[in-house]
Amino acid sequence: MKRVIVTGGAGFIGAHLVDGLIELGIEVHVLDNLSTGRSERVNPRAILHISDIRSAEAKEIITHVKPDALFHLAAQADVQHSVADPNYDMDVNVHGTVNILQASREADVKKFIFASTSGVYGNLEKEVLTEQDPVQPISFYGLSKITAEQYIALYERFYGLSYTILRFANVYGPGQTVKGEGGVIAIFMKQLADNLSLPINGDGEQTRDFVYVKDVVQALIAAMTQGTGNILHVSTETKTSINNLVKSLRTLHIKHKSTDLQVFHRPTKAGDIKHSCLSNAKTRNKLNWQPQYPIELGLEETYLQWGEFS
Ligand code: NAD
C-alpha cells in the first residue's frame, strides 16, 4: 500500500498510527475536523485535510486522493457524551461512517479498516469475550459503533469493499486525552502531573483489558494487508482492576518522584461496564500479531512521556 487516509489522524490513536505509517514510507493523508484532535499532534510529513467526515467535502477529498487503504478512526468516542447527546453520537458515528464508506466505494479503496470497541458487548457476563459473543451495547456509543460495523459488512456484500473491523479494548498511552473511551489511565496521569488525588469510581474492583497504543498501531498496520472480512479484538487478554492499576502507578510515582499518591472514591458512572476482557486468539492468528507491552511497561512509558504530549 502506497497511499492511505487516516480519518481521526489528529486524535490520540490516529496520531500514533500516522507516525507508524510514515515510518514505513507510506504517503499519509489525515482527515480530521479537530473537534477533539490537535493539528500539532499530526506528523509534519503527513498531509492534513481539516474536514468533517459527514461532509460532501470529505467525500471529495477521498475520491480525489484515491487511497489504497482507509483507516476510519474519526468518531465521537466519549461514552458519557453519547448518553447525553445520542443524536450527535449517531450523526458522527453512523452517518459519518456511511459517508466515508460511500466515498471509499467511489474511490475504489482496496481496504477499509475500522476502529470499533469492546463497548459493543455491554455488560455481558463472561470471563473472556470472543468475537462470536452476542453484542448488547449499554450506551449509545456502543450502539452506534455496532451499527457502523453492520454498514461496513453490507458495503462489502453489496459492493465488494474489503474490510477489517478491529474492536479495541481499553487503549492507553502518551497523548491520550482525559475525554473519550477508556480514559482512566489518562485521567490518573493528568491528576498525578497536577499533584492531585486519583478518583476511583465505585470500589475500584472493576477490571479492564488495557492495551498499549503502540500495540494497537501494529494491529492496525497488519490489518492493511491481512484479516480481510474479519472482526478482530485488539487486546491483551489480561484483566487489570483499577485498584491494581493504582498500585502499579504508586510504585512508578515513588520510583520516579519519591512521592506517594492519594486516592478518593466517587460513584460509578451511568453506562459503565463492570468487567471487560477480550480474547485475542483470533487476532494473533489472522493478523500474525501479538501485544508486546505488558501493562507495567506501557504504563512506565506513558508516565515518562506524559509531559511531552500535553
Ligand atoms: P480521539 O477523540 O482522540 O480521536 C478521534 C479523532 O476524530 C479526533 O482527532 C477528532 O478530532 C476526530 N473527529 C471526531 N469527529 C469528527 C468528525 N465529525 N469529522 C472529522 N474528524 C472527527 O479518540 P481515540 O481514543 O483516538 O479513538 C480513535 C478511535 O478508536 C475512535 O473511533 C474510537 O471510537 C476508537 N476506540 C478507542 C478506544 C480507546 O480506548 N481510546 C477504545 C475503543 C475504540
Side-chain angles (χ1 to χ4, degrees):
M1 303 267 172
K2 287 199 186 109
R3 185 164 54 239
V4 304
I5 290 185
V6 179
T7 74
F12 160 50
I13 301 169
H16 283 279
L17 171 63
V18 171
D19 291 342
L21 291 163
I22 295 272
E23 258 176 50
L24 294 174
I26 294 172
E27 178 184 320
V28 183
H29 293 254
V30 169
L31 204 157
D32 199 300
N33 70 352
L34 305 180
S35 52
T36 57
R38 292 186 300 160
S39 56
E40 318 86 81
R41 274 291 290 123
V42 179
N43 191 305
R45 283 151 67 198
I47 300 139
L48 172 62
H49 306 266
I50 301 172
S51 187
D52 194 298
I53 54 166
R54 296 164 290 178
S55 67
E57 182 195 48
K59 244 180 117 183
E60 275 167 30
I61 292 165
I62 293 168
T63 49
H64 180 73
V65 170
K66 259 190 155 301
D68 299 311
L70 186 141
F71 296 89
H72 183 35
L73 274 65
Q76 188 303 111
D78 183 334
V79 173
Q80 301 308 320
H81 194 266
S82 83
V83 177
D85 192 352
N87 230 321
Y88 176 73
D89 179 82
M90 186 269 287
D91 200 28
V92 174
N93 294 356
V94 181
H95 172 199
T97 299
V98 176
N99 198 39
I100 299 301
L101 278 168
Q102 191 59 30
S104 299
R105 178 192 162 201
E106 288 171 23
D108 226 357
V109 166
K110 292 189 192 71
K111 189 69 185 277
F112 189 94
I113 300 131
F114 181 60
S116 190
T117 172
S118 57
V120 297
Y121 298 110
N123 242 334
L124 203 64
E125 296 279 330
K126 208 172 163 220
E127 280 290 299
V128 181
L129 294 162
T130 72
E131 291 87 348
Q132 282 74 48
D133 282 319
V135 292
Q136 298 172 355
I138 56 162
S139 71
F140 296 117
Y141 168 68
L143 180 60
S144 65
K145 283 288 184 176
I146 189 69
T147 307
E149 284 190 13
Q150 290 171 356
Y151 271 97
I152 293 164
L154 278 185
Y155 262 78
E156 193 261 348
R157 199 153 136 195
F158 292 160
Y159 311 115
L161 178 62
S162 291
Y163 71 86
T164 300
I165 291 168
L166 299 177
R167 288 182 182 159
F168 303 159
N170 288 75
V171 189
Y172 70 98
Q176 186 169 26
T177 57
V178 295
K179 287 192 149 214
E181 251 215 83
V184 60
I185 292 181
I187 293 169
F188 285 179
M189 291 292 172
K190 186 170 186 313
Q191 294 292 104
L192 283 182
D194 296 345
N195 282 318
L196 296 169
S197 310
L198 309 187
I200 297 178
N201 296 340
D203 63 5
E205 281 308 302
Q206 63 272 37
T207 59
R208 294 290 179 271
D209 182 333
F210 292 107
V211 60
Y212 192 50
V213 68
K214 286 189 182 166
D215 281 328
V216 175
V217 166
Q218 289 314 313
L220 282 159
I221 288 174
M224 253 192 321
T225 50
Q226 299 167 79
T228 299
N230 284 283
I231 296 176
L232 301 170
H233 289 161
V234 181
S235 65
T236 59
E237 216 177 300
T238 306
K239 286 181 196 150
T240 304
S241 72
I242 303 304
N243 291 332
N244 278 336
L245 182 66
V246 169
K247 227 173 165 175
S248 302
L249 273 175
R250 173 169 280 130
T251 309
L252 274 178
H253 206 48
I254 292 172
K255 178 177 164 191
H256 293 287
K257 294 268 161 63
S258 313
T259 326
D260 199 1
L261 53 79
Q262 307 300 318
V263 300
F264 69 94
H265 288 262
R266 61 187 187 186
T268 310
K269 285 185 190 165
D272 257 5
I273 292 162
K274 184 80 183 161
H275 298 290
S276 173
C277 183
L278 306 184
S279 159
N280 59 24
K282 190 178 170 193
T283 318
R284 286 170 188 257
N285 179 258
K286 299 278 181 193
L287 294 187
N288 206 8
W289 164 95
Q290 58 177 36
Q292 305 292 327
Y293 284 83
I295 181 91
E296 295 76 19
L297 196 61
L299 259 188
E300 185 152 29
E301 208 168 282
T302 308
Y303 181 95
L304 293 173
Q305 293 182 15
W306 193 252
E308 287 173 38
F309 287 85
S310 44

